[in-house]
Each structure stands twice: as C-alpha cells, then as structure tokens.
Amino acid sequence: MNQITPPPTEALTHAIVEGLDSLKAHDIVSLDLRPLTHSIASTFVIASGTSRTQVEALARSVESATTTTLNERPWGVHGLRGGEWVILDYSDVVVHIF
C-alpha cells in the first residue's frame, strides 16, 4: 500500500508565505514552534489583511498555492465565513490570517 508522505515543513511554509505575499498580506511572520512544542504544530504563520474581502482572498490564495505547488490541502479551515480571521490547519503548519 502506498503511503502519502506530507511535504517537508519548509516547503509547505514557503508555499504558504508565497500565497500570502502574492496578494500583499501585511506583517507576514513565520514562527518555528519546534523548540517549544511537538504536539501542536511545527510552524505557525501569521499575517493580516486590510479588509474582510482581503482576508478571504488571502486564505484562498494560500489554499491555491499549496494545492498547486505541493498538492497539499488544509485539513481544516475555520472562520472563513466571518471574514475577520481565518485559520488554515495543515497539521504541521497552522496559518492564522487576521
């Protein structure tokens, strides 16, 4: 049986940051959590948008970038309907867009 191997954290983080940067997200920060915890995620990416519309567009851009470059989709997406914040959970990498 073939086992699906997740992409390396660095490649996934890079695709996420590219997706955010392509739509001019503000204050993009990537935090390496490995020295702190192994139970939540390895990396936490935080960014902000200037409006609800941009927050939603940033989330969609991240999804597109990770799907296109790595064939990786988030395990969960939360907050997208409200537009004030979105969390994209890629298991090893968590993205929070304000």
Side-chain angles (χ1 to χ4, degrees):
M1 183 188 314
N2 290 339
Q3 192 173 21
I4 298 172
T5 305
T9 300
E10 293 78 16
L12 183 56
T13 302
H14 180 73
I16 290 166
V17 170
E18 287 293 317
L20 292 167
D21 192 50
S22 70
L23 290 183
K24 301 188 182 358
H26 294 270
D27 306 319
I28 302 169
V29 177
S30 176
L31 303 169
D32 183 358
L33 301 178
R34 289 176 285 199
L36 305 173
T37 181
H38 295 285
S39 61
I40 299 173
S42 295
T43 305
F44 198 69
V45 179
I46 305 168
S48 59
T50 58
S51 67
R52 290 179 179 198
T53 303
Q54 188 185 22
V55 168
E56 182 178 338
L58 289 168
R60 297 290 182 215
S61 180
V62 167
E63 286 184 276
S64 176
T66 59
T67 301
T68 302
T69 60
L70 301 169
N71 198 28
E72 185 74 16
R73 296 170 197 246
W75 292 27
V77 178
H78 307 281
L80 190 57
R81 289 193 178 155
E84 292 180 20
W85 57 269
V86 177
I87 292 178
L88 299 131
D89 182 359
Y90 286 90
S91 183
D92 202 34
V93 180
V94 175
V95 184
H96 194 164
I97 305 168
F98 294 96

